[in-house]
Amino acid sequence: MRNAKRILQICLVPTLGLSLSACTGSGGGASLDTLDVSGVLSLGNSSQGLEKVQSLAEKEDSVSAMSVNLALYKVTCATTTPPIQSASASVGSDGSFTVSIPGAKGQPLSCFLVNSDGDKAADFIISDSSKKDLNGNSETSSTAAFKEHANLGTINFDPNAGEVTVPKSNIASVVEEKKPVAASVYDPSGAWTISAVDFTLPHGVKAPCANNDNTCHGPPSGQAIYLKLWKGVVTADSSDIFGLQVWEGANSFATCGSKIGLTADMKTALGVNFSANGAADAEFSFSSSVPNFLDQITNQTSTVTLTDGWKMSTATLQRDITTGCGPRDITIGGVMYSNAWVCGADGSNNYQVSLGGGCVDSTGKSVEVHDWSGFGGNCSMAVDSNHIRTNTCSGNVMVSGQSKAVTCTNKWVVTDSSYALRADNVNFDWNAFNTSNGISSNNGQTTCASIANSGSSESLKMAQLQCYAEYYWRSGMERTENACLPRVDMDWSATTSENFAHVDKIRPQGLVFFEKYAPFPDGSGGSLMTRQEHYEGVSVDGTSWVNCRVIDVGGLTIKKVSDTKLLATYQSSLITTSTSKPACLAKFNGTRESYVFYLNK
């Protein structure tokens, strides 16, 4: 339930942290020197990948590395500061490639892998094992500047994680890492407004979105943001380190006390010291109540008490719900289905397990369908030897403004409580299940607090949390600017109530992100990167949903034009590792989007 119209939130919700290695080049104009980037791709699972293949069952969301033909891919590299330069090169059957990018020496550069359809299949991620992020993982970056031609060496391509991992040690001798004198680093702190640039953008680069354009997923023109640059030192060698906060507005920054927000333990683990910032070097203090809150559901104003930072005292159930459903990892016919949706039991101790599905066009390419009326009941069902039932519907529907012949499938099985398969003639009794597991909203009068207590079943506890979560969003509390609230990430694919909500104690709701900022050598600007993995749901046939494992990657580069104007480049991608689910592939196709815009004071 993120607002994709907000600057940079299309790639969020990232783990707040100082997580970008200092790999940037000069902020000046591009030179005429051509840069060669070469290497050899090797297939396998990276350490950054998702869950590994089980020893006795092939994971449903994994791609066998042996089935990937590297010769069908191209490597594309592009500079991230205008004038943007880019080039592509095919990958050989042995995984080798060489990309020659004009004017790219010394410039911030990012590379990615595209498939035969032109869709991005993986980001090149530079991994520095000598440095750690807030999660204890190797520090990563998607951008680097090279002073000489760069041979990346043999590098791992993990098709499941959507990443090509480049060890920092492979390129240490050619990476431009000259650091500017702290006094020369431009401080962009202040309120800024997004606007279109006054020059022609290169092919493939987008302008900021027009207001109310729901088809555009980039930063909207006219939106105000607030930047805050914090300077600290690395405790090991007293060198300078910078962190850049991006807030949704100046009011959000002020409401949360104008603080850095890192805990003492985090600063110790990171090996940084921000004490020179005085009282601002403190943790955020979150509100336990919100006065004069206008509830967008009831249209009533009141003081709302918050439990755990987000559970509203006024929250009520907004619709009738059914408990007893949730995601599970299940193995059918030797294949492990990650986050299959399981409901049960009905009156006969049966469980229905949804294994996912999706839609493809006549060429077999995954597509996303919003209007299901074109199928007109043209559906059929088949059952295979593993008792998997597949419902198939075909018809002509609108896809991206064009009428296309589309086929959609949805598959499921019926099992007992141990997930042993039932016979093909056994059907799940939804009426009995709903009768025994239903909770009535009583027209919005059932309070979320009344649904469960400490001694309730796990399914009731999950239902209660989902009740709180829906009210938190629909009431507008998540978007309030009247209080400093922690960011709360809801995992609707969680299998236990303990894992449903993650309350981020170091990132307020109004803080888009706080990342390590790598200044250009001349101090005129710099860049940062965010990355996160999570689950998102996608509609299969208009009524059912599948869970998709998603990796969000985003990068922001800014350059000073004048005291009142910055030139900004924002790059984002959203890729799924649920590669066997067409619905996931259609929704999260990994397309890399680049936006160039001004930030004006």
Side-chain angles (χ1 to χ4, degrees):
M1 294 183 176
R2 300 189 305 273
N3 182 356
K5 297 295 291 181
R6 290 180 177 176
I7 172 67
L8 306 176
Q9 278 191 292
I10 55 174
C11 75
L12 300 178
V13 226
T15 301
L16 171 61
L18 308 179
S19 59
L20 177 65
S21 58
C23 298
T24 63
S26 170
S31 72
L32 298 178
D33 291 336
T34 295
L35 174 71
D36 291 343
V37 176
S38 60
V40 179
L41 296 177
S42 174
L43 289 163
N45 286 331
S46 70
S47 60
Q48 296 284 345
L50 304 178
E51 301 96 340
K52 302 303 179 186
V53 176
Q54 302 296 317
S55 58
L56 298 179
E58 183 182 358
K59 195 171 182 62
E60 183 266 346
D61 277 356
S62 68
V63 176
S64 172
M66 299 304 294
S67 68
V68 176
N69 184 356
L70 290 174
L72 297 178
Y73 292 87
K74 288 185 177 181
V75 175
T76 296
C77 297
T79 58
T80 59
T81 55
I84 293 175
Q85 305 287 341
S86 65
S88 299
S90 297
V91 178
S93 58
D94 61 350
S96 63
F97 64 90
T98 299
V99 186
S100 298
I101 311 100
K105 278 190 178 180
Q107 299 300 307
L109 185 78
S110 62
C111 297
F112 49 96
L113 201 64
V114 296
N115 60 24
S116 56
D117 292 326
D119 296 328
K120 185 169 71 65
D123 283 296
F124 278 55
I125 302 295
I126 300 169
S127 178
D128 188 352
S129 60
S130 67
K131 299 178 181 179
K132 303 298 180 182
D133 64 16
L134 293 183
N135 298 310
N137 300 317
S138 296
E139 193 173 81
T140 59
S141 169
S142 64
T143 305
F146 298 102
K147 55 189 176 184
E148 299 174 12
H149 297 312
N151 185 343
L152 308 183
T154 300
I155 50 181
N156 185 76
F157 167 36
D158 184 352
N160 297 302
E163 294 177 349
V164 176
T165 303
V166 182
K168 180 70 174 296
S169 57
N170 287 15
I171 56 174
S173 63
V174 294
V175 170
E176 176 66 72
E177 291 192 293
K178 179 183 177 183
K179 294 184 178 180
V181 177
S184 69
V185 174
Y186 170 67
D187 186 353
S189 298
W192 301 88
T193 302
I194 297 170
S195 70
V197 298
D198 53 4
F199 56 85
T200 302
L201 294 173
H203 177 72
V205 177
K206 300 180 180 181
C209 304
N211 287 326
N212 301 318
D213 180 4
N214 293 324
T215 65
C216 181
H217 302 294
S221 182
Q223 181 177 356
I225 63 171
Y226 188 84
L227 303 180
K228 178 59 182 178
L229 185 70
W230 298 105
K231 178 182 175 297
V233 296
V234 178
T235 53
D237 57 12
S238 298
S239 61
D240 297 323
I241 189 170
F242 297 90
L244 183 66
Q245 291 176 335
V246 180
W247 293 81
E248 292 182 357
N251 187 61
S252 295
F253 177 65
T255 300
C256 285
S258 307
K259 298 176 180 179
I260 294 174
L262 296 177
T263 67
D265 288 343
M266 291 174 62
K267 287 180 287 188
T268 299
L270 289 166
V272 297
N273 187 318
F274 285 92
S275 60
N277 294 280
D281 183 22
E283 299 178 29
F284 295 113
S285 298
F286 296 114
S287 304
S288 58
S289 64
V290 181
N292 302 315
F293 173 70
L294 177 60
D295 192 316
Q296 295 179 12
I297 296 176
T298 64
N299 202 33
Q300 300 293 317
T301 299
S302 65
T303 295
V304 179
T305 301
L306 299 173
T307 301
D308 298 330
W310 67 281
K311 299 172 188 174
M312 301 170 60
S313 57
T314 55
T316 58
L317 187 61
Q318 295 304 295
R319 54 187 171 84
D320 296 345
I321 61 174
T322 302
T323 63
C325 293
R328 297 287 187 276
D329 290 345
I330 185 171
T331 300
I332 304 293
V335 176
M336 180 178 173
Y337 293 86
S338 177
N339 283 91
W341 193 255
V342 180
C343 292
D346 64 6
S348 302
N349 199 36
N350 296 319
Y351 290 74
Q352 178 148 319
V353 182
S354 176
L355 304 178
C359 303
V360 297
D361 62 18
S362 58
T363 68
K365 184 176 182 179
S366 298
V367 295
E368 185 178 7
V369 175
H370 297 285
D371 183 0
W372 300 88
S373 60
F375 294 104
N378 184 24
C379 302
S380 61
M381 191 181 76
V383 183
D384 67 13
S385 58
N386 292 316
H387 303 285
I388 296 177
R389 311 173 194 197
T390 302
N391 188 51
T392 303
C393 299
S394 300
N396 290 304
V397 298
M398 297 300 293
V399 177
S400 300
Q402 295 182 334
S403 177
K404 289 189 176 183
V406 171
T407 299
C408 298
T409 59
N410 188 23
K411 55 184 180 179
W412 71 95
V413 294
V414 178
T415 74
D416 63 15
S417 59
S418 299
Y419 302 129
L421 297 171
R422 296 292 201 191
D424 296 345
N425 62 349
V426 175
N427 293 310
F428 187 74
D429 189 340
W430 284 102
N431 288 331
F433 173 71
N434 291 332
T435 299
S436 60
N437 292 276
I439 300 177
S440 173
S441 67
N442 292 321
N443 295 318
Q445 298 302 306
T446 299
T447 65
C448 297
S450 67
I451 294 176
N453 55 46
S454 59
S456 297
S457 66
E458 190 66 16
S459 62
L460 284 177
K461 291 179 180 178
M462 287 291 289
Q464 182 183 58
L465 291 173
Q466 291 170 2
C467 175
Y468 277 122
E470 184 172 1
Y471 201 92
Y472 185 71
W473 169 257
R474 292 183 58 185
S475 68
M477 180 61 77
E478 185 186 47
R479 301 173 295 282
T480 186
E481 295 184 354
N482 296 330
C484 185
L485 303 180
R487 183 174 294 275
V488 185
D489 295 334
M490 315 293 185
D491 184 1
W492 291 78
S493 68
T495 58
T496 65
S497 57
E498 182 180 1
N499 296 324
F500 178 80
H502 171 67
V503 181
D504 198 328
K505 298 297 186 181
I506 59 171
R507 185 178 56 167
Q509 188 63 41
L511 177 61
V512 181
F513 56 68
F514 179 21
E515 302 288 350
K516 182 178 177 181
Y517 177 73
F520 296 148
D522 67 358
S524 65
S527 63
L528 50 77
M529 174 185 144
T530 67
R531 181 187 185 279
Q532 193 206 6
E533 302 173 10
H534 62 277
Y535 278 98
E536 288 196 22
V538 175
S539 176
V540 175
D541 57 9
T543 58
S544 61
W545 295 75
V546 297
N547 286 315
C548 307
R549 188 68 174 175
V550 175
I551 297 177
D552 293 337
V553 178
L556 174 68
T557 299
I558 59 173
K559 176 176 172 56
K560 179 182 178 182
V561 177
S562 69
D563 289 340
T564 58
K565 180 179 290 186
L566 304 180
L567 183 62
T569 302
Y570 177 63
Q571 294 180 308
S572 70
S573 67
L574 199 62
I575 191 169
T576 182
T577 62
S578 299
T579 51
S580 65
K581 298 176 181 177
C584 300
L585 291 173
K587 179 70 174 179
F588 310 110
N589 57 25
T591 301
R592 188 179 188 87
E593 295 184 311
S594 296
Y595 298 87
V596 172
F597 49 93
Y598 283 137
L599 293 173
N600 299 291
K601 277 191 175 180

